[in-house]
Amino acid sequence: MTTRRTLDPMTDAEPVARHVRELMAAGVSYARIAAAAGVNVSTVNHLLYGRVHRPRAKRITIRNARLILAVDVSQVTTGRVDPTGTQRRLQALMAVGWPAVHLGHTLSLHPSYVRELQRRPQVYSTTAHAMAVAYNRLWNKQPERHGISAQAANRSRNYARAKGWPPPAAWDDDVIDDPKAAPEWTGHCGTMRGWKAHREQDIPMCAACQNAFDRKQAREQARTLCGAPSLPGESEAA
């Protein structure tokens, strides 16, 4: 007689993956998180990146979910970490109207220190984690509906716009902590199509699209000096 194996009950994987990303924002590897949780490292890897020919996990066993969610930042972090993700999250939240003063209260930090985060060469890992948690909670919320005055929200948006700071929509969770990654403002950043979208939609110009425009200008100047005409479709080239 064949006995059926009882499958572990499953639950939504996204809150667990979000918790892992918040811990990783504090400079923690997913392997260290897996070790602290007492689960297989491939389980955490699958939450974040998927496997060969398989997408990221959408479901996870309730047992593994509880083990991973029980990992506290104090168990796995020490010292200071790269500030990139913390600074980008702060900029993105301010770009959609969350003032530094409010974020300071949320993070239990003095507002002046929150502003100072933009200039820090490193931040405390606990601060990086707290910022990631706040970001995940606030990025898609309208500040005016959560106790922020319209004047304060607009002042924050205008300040961020003047600085050229990207909003949350320009960052993917997988790259926001990567110092080598660039924001994707238009869906075509780094090309002339992206440059045109910035201009036509009145979006602050990103470095990738400005570089694409500069390269196009340099090519056209070189052709002018050589007496050669522009190639068809050149204006849309990357």
Side-chain angles (χ1 to χ4, degrees):
M1 179 178 178
T2 302
T3 303
R4 291 185 178 180
R5 184 171 66 89
T6 301
L7 298 178
D8 291 335
M10 307 288 282
T11 189
D12 182 16
E14 181 51 35
V16 187
R18 184 166 58 243
H19 179 66
V20 171
R21 293 191 196 101
E22 290 169 356
L23 293 173
M24 290 177 69
V28 185
S29 70
Y30 70 80
R32 186 172 181 182
I33 296 167
V39 302
N40 194 298
V41 67
S42 65
T43 298
V44 182
N45 179 286
H46 192 199
L47 283 175
L48 302 172
Y49 310 115
R51 298 170 181 165
V52 178
H53 306 305
R54 290 179 63 184
R56 286 183 293 186
K58 294 183 179 180
R59 307 281 289 173
I60 186 173
T61 66
I62 291 177
R63 175 183 177 279
N64 284 343
R66 287 173 175 168
L67 289 170
I68 295 171
L69 290 172
V71 178
D72 184 77
V73 65
S74 62
Q75 297 174 244
V76 290
T77 59
T78 57
R80 299 172 186 262
V81 296
D82 181 272
T84 300
T86 301
Q87 292 168 349
R88 287 172 175 171
R89 289 179 176 90
L90 173 59
Q91 293 169 3
L93 289 176
M94 292 186 68
V96 292
W98 291 101
V101 171
H102 177 85
L103 295 176
H105 293 319
T106 300
L107 300 169
S108 298
L109 299 173
H110 194 279
S112 63
Y113 180 74
V114 173
R115 297 187 185 93
E116 181 66 22
L117 289 176
Q118 294 301 324
R119 296 182 288 274
R120 294 267 173 165
Q122 290 185 313
V123 297
Y124 287 110
S125 57
T126 50
T127 299
H129 176 259
M131 180 64 77
V133 172
Y135 178 83
N136 285 338
R137 183 166 59 85
L138 300 175
W139 74 269
N140 60 348
K141 302 291 193 305
Q142 186 174 346
E144 291 89 339
R145 294 184 179 180
H146 296 273
I148 306 301
S149 70
Q151 182 181 19
N154 286 330
R155 187 162 54 241
S156 178
R157 293 184 186 109
N158 292 336
Y159 181 81
R161 180 180 177 82
K163 292 285 189 179
W165 290 346
W171 290 111
D172 186 86
D173 287 338
D174 293 339
V175 302
I176 193 168
D177 291 296
D178 182 358
K180 297 179 182 178
E184 179 54 75
W185 293 73
T186 66
H188 302 282
C189 284
T191 70
M192 282 306 299
R193 186 173 178 181
W195 182 84
K196 287 184 176 181
H198 278 280
R199 296 291 296 269
E200 292 170 358
Q201 299 173 34
D202 194 27
I203 302 171
M205 188 62 65
C206 72
C209 287
Q210 185 60 52
N211 289 340
F213 177 78
D214 292 342
R215 290 194 301 270
K216 174 179 175 290
Q217 292 292 91
R219 287 195 299 268
E220 290 186 348
Q221 290 175 4
R223 288 196 179 96
T224 299
L225 291 174
C226 295
S230 297
L231 296 175
E234 177 74 358
S235 61
E236 297 297 332

